[in-house]
């Protein structure tokens, strides 16, 4: 975390350090706008002395200061992060994701970078060990194909990370292959996972899911494949994988059962997954609102 | 006593002469290190897309080159906006003003663009460093030996004056 504090402007850094970092979920830096934070599920402005509701007391950064944060976060190695930047985000330190908004630089119909950075959203990862433990019986005994669903910021990644960890403690002790496309799940830094995901877990960071799974299926012989934020484009190859006798732990954006049912690929999704875990982000990350079976019957513990 | 003094003067002047001569040799070695670093850097950027801190961590070479790498590493650790400060280059005594500006420019462009553009920039600096190496070699050949001999002769001259 110290590396992140180093890249933030002094005023912001000092103020953040006065807060309880475990409750800090997001910092939003916008050019010529007050700095805001998502602190224990509530939005505040950031003043020099911590969080505040008063806009007038908030720290305001100019465009250059916002841009500087991005440059420093790249650690003078834009070449390392250029692929991520072209997708609008940056994962400079284990698990911390910086979303970037600005003017896209387009070359040959492809976004190659982002200039004139207007805003940054720095998201802090949280490790809540044991948040899926209660549901291990429903999800891991026996191993099921699990889809975790919540709106953005609902704790999908936190829950999935813990589910992988809990699978290590279950009787089957499956080998789990994690496709960590955005390096949020394992938060690898220089080849070392920053989060505990058990001893039987292999991680491929920053590779597209289909590449990671296709190439590692034979070489790593996993029992379970885990990946974050699947999209409709991923559904067909996940279907193929599920037919190979491999179990899947995945997450997806959504809020209600209807959101899933209205997905244009619902039939395939329903073929793949045996369990649906809906998360509730109102009070804390990774809090389960309900676990449902294939037919959307609520399962009780 | 006089003989001791004369020997002291001769050895002192010779030492100064060889000291100056050594600077020319160090300059040759320094540009050698820079060229090796550039070619290694291009591989690290294109193949592994390594971060600069990892590149600097494994860089080896002469005292002056290692000094620059250490300064750059410190800047990266403390998230400074410049890898090398211009005043850091003053520590390298054998560089002239133009060479310092070139080096400053080189470290200034590092890590600020994607792989393809970075390679083009490094290629450009590589050519400049190659020319600098050739000049340094030429200087060492002509002036290096000259200053060594000049030191001895100056010592002898002062010794004769003392006599």
């Amino acid at each position: 975390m110290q590396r992140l504090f180093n890249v933030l402007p002094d005023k912001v850094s000092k103020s953040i350090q006065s807060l309880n970092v475990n409750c800090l979920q997001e910092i939003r830096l916008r050019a010529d706008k007050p700095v805001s934070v998502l602190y224990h599920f509530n939005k505040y402005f950031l003043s020099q002395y911590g969080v505040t509701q008063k806009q007038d007391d908030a720290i305001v950064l100019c465009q250059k200061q916002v841009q500087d944060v991005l440059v420093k976060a790249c650690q003078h190695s834009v070449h390392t992060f250029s692929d991520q930047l072209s997708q609008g985000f940056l994962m400079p330190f284990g698990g911390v994701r910086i979303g970037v908004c600005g003017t896209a630089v387009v070359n040959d119909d492809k976004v190659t970078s982002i200039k004139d950075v207007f805003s940054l959203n720095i998201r802090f990862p949280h490790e809540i060990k044991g948040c899926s433990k209660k549901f291990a019986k429903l999800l891991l005994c026996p191993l099921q194909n699990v889809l975790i669903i919540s709106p953005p910021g609902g704790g999908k990644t936190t829950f999935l990370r813990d589910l992988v960890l809990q699978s290590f403690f279950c009787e089957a002790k499956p080998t789990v292959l994690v496709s960590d496309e955005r390096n949020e799940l394992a938060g690898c830094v220089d080849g070392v996972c920053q989060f505990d995901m058990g001893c039987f877990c292999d991680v491929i960071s920053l590779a597209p899911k289909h590449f990671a799974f296709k190439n590692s299926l034979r070489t790593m012989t996993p029992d379970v494949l885990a990946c974050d934020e699947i999209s409709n484009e991923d559904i067909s190859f996940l279907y193929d994988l599920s037919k190979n006798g491999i179990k899947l732990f995945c997450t997806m954006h959504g809020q209600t059962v209807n959101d899933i049912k209205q997905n244009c690929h619902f039939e395939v999704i329903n073929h793949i997954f045996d369990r649906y875990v809906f998360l509730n982000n109102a009070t804390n990350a990774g809090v389960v609102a309900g676990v449902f079976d294939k037919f959307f019957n609520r399962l009780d513990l | 006593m006089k003989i001791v003094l004369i020997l002291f003067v001769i050895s002192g002047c010779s030492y100064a002469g060889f000291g100056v001569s050594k600077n020319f040799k160090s300059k040759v070695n320094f540009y050698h290190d820079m060229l090796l670093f550039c070619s290694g850097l291009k591989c690290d950027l294109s193949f592994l897309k390594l971060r600069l801190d990892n590149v600097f961590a494994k860089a080896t070479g002469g005292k002056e080159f290692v000094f620059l790498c250490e300064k750059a590493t410190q800047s990266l650790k403390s998230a400074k906006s410049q890898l090398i400060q211009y005043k850091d280059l003053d520590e390298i005594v054998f560089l002239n003003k133009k060479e310092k500006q070139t080096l400053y420019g080189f470290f200034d462009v590092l890590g600020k663009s994607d792989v393809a553009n970075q390679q083009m920039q490094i290629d450009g600096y590589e050519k400049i460093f190659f020319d600098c190496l050739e000049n340094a070699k030429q200087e060492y050949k002509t002036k290096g030996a000259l200053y060594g001999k000049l030191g001895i002769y100056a010592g002898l001259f002062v010794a004769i004056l003392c006599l």
Side-chain angles (χ1 to χ4, degrees), chain A residues 212-231:
Chain A
F213 289 156
K214 203 174 152 188
N215 288 279
S216 308
L217 206 58
R218 288 179 195 144
T219 53
M220 303 309 288
T221 55
D223 302 309
V224 177
L225 298 174
C227 61
D228 205 6
E229 293 184 12
I230 58 167
S231 61

Side-chain angles (χ1 to χ4, degrees), chain A residues 3 6-7 68 71-72 74-83 92 112 189-190, chain B residues 45 49-54 76-77 79-81 83 110-115 118:
Chain A
R3 289 168 82 181
N6 282 347
V7 306
D68 270 357
V71 172
K72 285 179 181 175
C74 284
Q75 299 154 79
H76 281 273
S77 304
V78 172
H79 55 271
T80 309
F81 299 102
S82 54
D83 291 340
T112 53
V189 176
D190 298 328
Chain B
L45 296 192
K49 291 191 178 180
L50 279 185
R51 286 197 321 264
L52 284 185
D53 54 345
N54 293 329
L76 286 169
K77 270 187 187 159
K80 281 185 185 162
S81 48
L83 279 178
L110 285 187
K112 289 189 178 164
S113 54
D114 62 351
V115 174
Q118 195 79 126

Side-chain angles (χ1 to χ4, degrees), chain A residues 29 53 58 75 97 136 154 158-159 196 201 246 248 277 284 293:
Chain A
L29 312 176
Q53 296 281 13
Q75 299 154 79
R97 185 172 80 183
T158 309
F159 191 89
D196 187 6
C201 175
I246 291 163
L248 299 165
V277 180
N284 210 342
D293 69 2

Side-chain angles (χ1 to χ4, degrees), chain A residues 1-5 7-8 21 24-27 69-70 73-75 81 84 89-100 120-126 157 161 180 182-189 194-195 206:
Chain A
M1 209 54 81
Q2 189 55 44
R3 289 168 82 181
L4 178 68
F5 294 144
V7 306
L8 291 170
V21 182
L24 190 63
Q25 292 163 280
E26 281 180 8
I27 309 173
V69 171
L70 186 68
C74 284
Q75 299 154 79
F81 299 102
Q84 293 176 23
F89 76 98
L90 193 71
M91 295 291 297
F93 324 108
V96 176
R97 185 172 80 183
I98 304 181
V100 186
L120 300 175
N121 176 17
I122 304 169
R123 278 189 66 181
F124 291 80
H126 289 96
T157 309
R161 189 186 295 131
D180 200 359
R182 298 199 161 189
N183 201 17
E184 281 181 296
L185 263 171
C188 287
V189 176
Q194 301 299 299
F195 299 112
L206 299 171

